[in-house]
Amino acid sequence: MNIDNKIAIITGGASGLGQATAERILAAGGKVAIFDLDDQRGQAFADAHPGNAIYVKVNVADEASAEAGIAAVIEAFGTIHICVNCAGIGGGTRIVGRKGPHSMEAFMRILNVNLVGTFNIIRLAAAQMLKNDPVAKSGERGVIVNTASIAATEGQMGQVAYAASKAGVVGMTLPLTRDLAEHGVRVCAIMPGLFETPLVSTLPQEVRDYLVTTMEFPKRGGDPAEFAALVGHIIENPYLNGEVIRLDGGTRPPPR
Ligand SMILES: NC(=O)c1ccc[n+]([C@@H]2O[C@H](COP(=O)([O-])OP(=O)(O)OC[C@H]3O[C@@H](n4cnc5c(N)ncnc54)[C@H](O)[C@@H]3O)[C@@H](O)[C@H]2O)c1
């Protein structure tokens, strides 16, 4: 799908991978709606791109909040062609730690944002995409890109909740593709390795330095622009569908 003049929702678009994706879509002539909880960064981004970007405070895991967000996009831009789900949270706890078993609250919180939140936005965005006229020639009505993680298949110690949430995102890819195929909506997911974003900057420096030593090539964290470049390619290549793509410089994380 040619991005020029298309409308995109980007969850988590106020920071990191989502913000880089918003910049990529704007550069290609699209318009973006940032769904995030970070008012300051989200509004600053929208203010920097008047007429082409809006910020809507949306908790992706909340039904009413997501519905209101979708309504705000329709009011501002009229429709939705592209949905990129980047909102997510981390967190590391072993299944049994010094304080006892993994808390249910922490497990549910991570699943709720990363998996339930992704599902929540997809169902509402897809319902809008189905109302679009198919794009001439390709017949596409929409494109959905979800953000999983290499932890979906190679979760490290302490990543049980995060890995489960991202495995859920990977697992949704094919059934979503099949559900939406007859409507001309494509679905792909990306499994990023370590990327240099505010989420990762919360890890202790020695942990980040160690992770870099385990990498193949390039021996560095990914640049969010490299993630955004892949999102752009998925949107623009009509033959990519139902696929989960690793973007990790060949890294296979060790157990810890
Ligand atoms: N950075 C990495 O190394 C890496 C690796 C693999 C996967 N990922 C995934 O990529 C995605 C983006 O990560 P990032 O590194 O850019 O993180 P980030 O913290 O920089 O950005 C995430 C954004 O999501 C927003 N957010 C969190 N909870 C939300 C909610 N309930 N509703 C709406 N917005 C919410 C945050 O406010 C933030 O702006 C996440 O899903 C993360 O799990 C990141």
Side-chain angles (χ1 to χ4, degrees):
M1 179 179 278
N2 184 330
I3 295 173
D4 193 32
N5 274 318
K6 300 298 187 303
I7 314 302
I9 293 176
I10 302 162
T11 75
S15 177
L17 304 185
Q19 185 179 318
T21 300
E23 282 160 1
R24 169 69 174 79
I25 289 175
L26 286 170
K31 296 187 192 300
V32 300
I34 305 274
F35 283 8
D36 207 295
L37 293 173
D38 188 330
D39 291 342
Q40 211 180 340
R41 291 184 60 113
Q43 196 54 55
F45 189 88
D47 291 345
H49 304 280
N52 293 321
I54 59 168
Y55 164 68
V56 193
K57 183 170 198 150
V58 172
N59 177 0
V60 295
D62 183 272
E63 226 175 306
S65 177
E67 281 167 10
I70 296 284
V73 181
I74 300 304
E75 194 184 325
F77 295 134
T79 187
I80 297 164
H81 302 99
I82 298 161
C83 172
V84 186
N85 285 294
C86 292
I89 55 173
T93 316
R94 290 197 197 183
I95 186 69
V96 182
R98 259 168 291 185
K99 292 184 187 154
H102 197 301
S103 92
M104 282 303 286
E105 186 279 326
F107 186 82
M108 304 289 274
R109 181 164 34 84
I110 291 171
L111 266 283
N112 217 23
V113 176
N114 295 0
L115 178 57
V116 178
T118 299
F119 170 81
N120 191 26
I121 298 297
I122 291 172
R123 73 190 179 93
L124 299 170
Q128 289 297 328
M129 289 173 182
L130 265 51
K131 298 177 188 168
N132 291 338
D133 290 330
V135 170
K137 202 168 161 203
S138 76
E140 295 163 286
R141 285 192 172 82
V143 184
I144 298 169
V145 183
N146 298 321
T147 309
S149 163
I150 56 173
T153 52
E154 285 134 32
Q156 296 183 289
M157 290 168 78
Q159 283 195 312
V160 61
Y162 186 73
S165 72
K166 296 302 188 178
V169 172
V170 168
M172 288 198 296
T173 310
L174 188 58
L176 285 170
T177 303
R178 290 173 165 165
D179 280 356
L180 295 169
E182 67 180 287
H183 304 290
V185 175
R186 296 185 290 112
V187 184
C188 284
I190 300 174
M191 291 165 69
L194 186 78
F195 273 71
E196 297 291 346
T197 68
L199 181 101
V200 165
S201 68
T202 61
L203 290 174
Q205 188 61 44
E206 62 269 24
V207 173
R208 292 162 62 194
D209 291 346
Y210 164 70
L211 287 171
V212 167
T213 67
T214 70
M215 291 176 179
E216 300 303 327
F217 176 80
K219 271 200 184 302
R220 60 169 173 81
D223 180 337
E226 292 163 337
F227 174 89
L230 179 56
V231 176
H233 183 77
I234 291 170
I235 297 166
E236 288 167 347
N237 188 332
Y239 210 60
L240 257 178
N241 198 9
E243 188 54 66
V244 181
I245 305 171
R246 294 182 72 110
L247 187 66
D248 61 3
T251 301
R252 297 295 180 273
R256 67 168 100 195

